Amino acid sequence: MIRGYHADINPKARGMTICVMISVSLAKHKPDGHSAFRETIGKGQEVVECFMVTGNADYILQAWFPDIEALRHFITTTVQNLPEVADTSTMLVVDTIVRGAKEQSFSIP
């Protein structure tokens, strides 16, 4: 079913030229550790998507920044400064191959 409508604004039009994926591993795997992380990470405008994942990390963040200094500041003062966070790894997005939802056909009974 339709989940909603939204505007897809180009981050570069807002001066956000650097896209990164940040993997985050938590030190505390209890519900309160996850809650504190989720509450803090959702407050800023840098993170456009946050996924809870399986594997080597607990979360993957997609975030946009105007420059490397803003990225460094976000990682060191926001993410790594949280007591719940044990480790981070940042990957620079070089190119986007697929964006947004692909067309899908659904049959409604």
Side-chain angles (χ1 to χ4, degrees):
M1 302 301 166
I2 297 172
R3 295 192 309 190
Y5 297 93
H6 69 280
D8 185 9
I9 300 170
N10 184 345
K12 291 180 182 178
R14 298 183 311 132
M16 301 299 198
T17 59
I18 297 173
C19 181
V20 296
M21 298 295 204
I22 305 168
S23 66
V24 179
S25 297
L26 298 185
K28 302 174 183 178
H29 287 95
K30 297 179 180 176
D32 59 334
H34 284 274
S35 296
F37 172 78
R38 289 176 180 198
E39 182 180 319
T40 302
I41 215 65
K43 288 182 180 176
Q45 294 185 14
E46 300 89 352
V47 176
V48 294
E49 291 191 277
C50 176
F51 305 97
M52 184 178 194
V53 298
T54 62
N56 294 335
D58 296 304
Y59 292 91
I60 301 288
L61 312 176
Q62 180 186 11
W64 284 87
F65 300 91
D67 53 45
I68 292 294
E69 179 57 28
L71 168 60
R72 184 200 63 76
H73 184 265
F74 176 77
I75 292 170
T76 57
T77 63
T78 302
V79 182
Q80 292 176 340
N81 203 31
L82 294 171
E84 298 81 22
V85 173
D87 188 44
T88 65
S89 178
T90 303
M91 297 157 278
L92 178 66
V93 174
V94 177
D95 195 5
T96 301
I97 310 306
V98 176
R99 178 180 305 283
K102 293 184 177 184
E103 288 186 33
Q104 300 177 5
S105 61
F106 298 97
S107 60
I108 300 175

